[in-house]
Amino acid sequence: AARALFLLTAALLPVLTARLSWEIGGRSDHAILAGILAAFSGVYLPYLGVTDTFSPAACLGGLFLLLALRPQTLWRAAGLGLLAGLMHLGRADGLLWLPAALAACLFIKGREPAPGKRPAGRGTALLFCLLAYAAVMVPWMVRNLQVFGSLLLPGGLRPLWLVTYDQMFSYP
């Protein structure tokens, strides 16, 4: 039962990949091939249904990329911030999605908005992105502050100082 959500997210990956390929290239044959390659992904296939963050992170990353291609609206900016926050909650390297979300708000215009709709300004988009990220992460950071006395886990950056593979087994 614990694997059900992970199996569902793993099943969504080929669909997301095909959609992303179609959005970028506009060719259905490429989209079908991308979906097939995602369904039979080789080295990652055994890990997609496990109760780990592989398949949720891949799905959130795919949604992030799809959303980055949309027209620049405040909903898009908030969605990018929300996805960046969820990625940060799920994985330590998820923090890297926040600069990606901010860069997408600044530099990626996406497709043209529908006629009569004007795109969001960059400053407002950045604000909405940061507010959505904060809505996800601030409760967790408050909890960490109460429990550990720091916003993020105290040992979170220690692996940066590991030099060899063998040091993982004597960590910390």
Side-chain angles (χ1 to χ4, degrees):
R3 293 178 55 182
L5 180 65
F6 297 95
L7 290 171
L8 178 65
T9 56
L12 287 174
L13 280 176
V15 177
L16 274 172
T17 305
R19 177 64 186 205
L20 185 59
S21 174
W22 188 81
E23 290 278 336
I24 291 172
R27 290 186 52 182
S28 60
D29 56 337
H30 289 180
I32 291 169
L33 180 61
I36 290 170
L37 289 173
F40 303 104
S41 57
V43 71
Y44 290 109
L45 190 59
Y47 304 109
L48 291 178
V50 199
T51 54
D52 199 346
T53 59
F54 287 110
S55 60
C59 278
L60 290 173
L63 288 172
F64 184 94
L65 294 173
L66 276 173
L67 196 56
L69 296 173
R70 298 281 177 236
Q72 178 75 299
T73 63
L74 296 180
W75 287 108
R76 172 189 177 245
L80 290 172
L82 179 73
L83 288 171
L86 290 173
M87 292 285 283
H88 191 186
L89 276 180
R91 297 177 59 89
D93 60 354
L95 177 61
L96 299 175
W97 288 90
L98 178 61
L102 296 174
C105 289
L106 280 175
F107 304 116
I108 301 175
K109 290 176 26 178
R111 285 183 280 153
E112 291 299 318
K117 301 225 177 191
R118 79 182 186 124
R122 288 181 178 169
T124 312
L126 284 175
L127 179 66
F128 269 67
C129 182
L130 287 171
L131 286 174
Y133 175 81
V136 173
M137 287 304 297
V138 164
W140 184 251
M141 289 179 177
V142 167
R143 179 246 178 223
N144 284 344
L145 201 56
Q146 291 171 346
V147 174
F148 302 113
S150 64
L151 292 177
L152 299 174
L153 294 175
L157 294 177
R158 285 188 186 160
L160 288 175
W161 308 112
L162 297 180
V163 179
T164 65
Y165 181 75
D166 293 336
Q167 288 179 340
M168 290 184 71
F169 300 103
S170 62
Y171 176 78

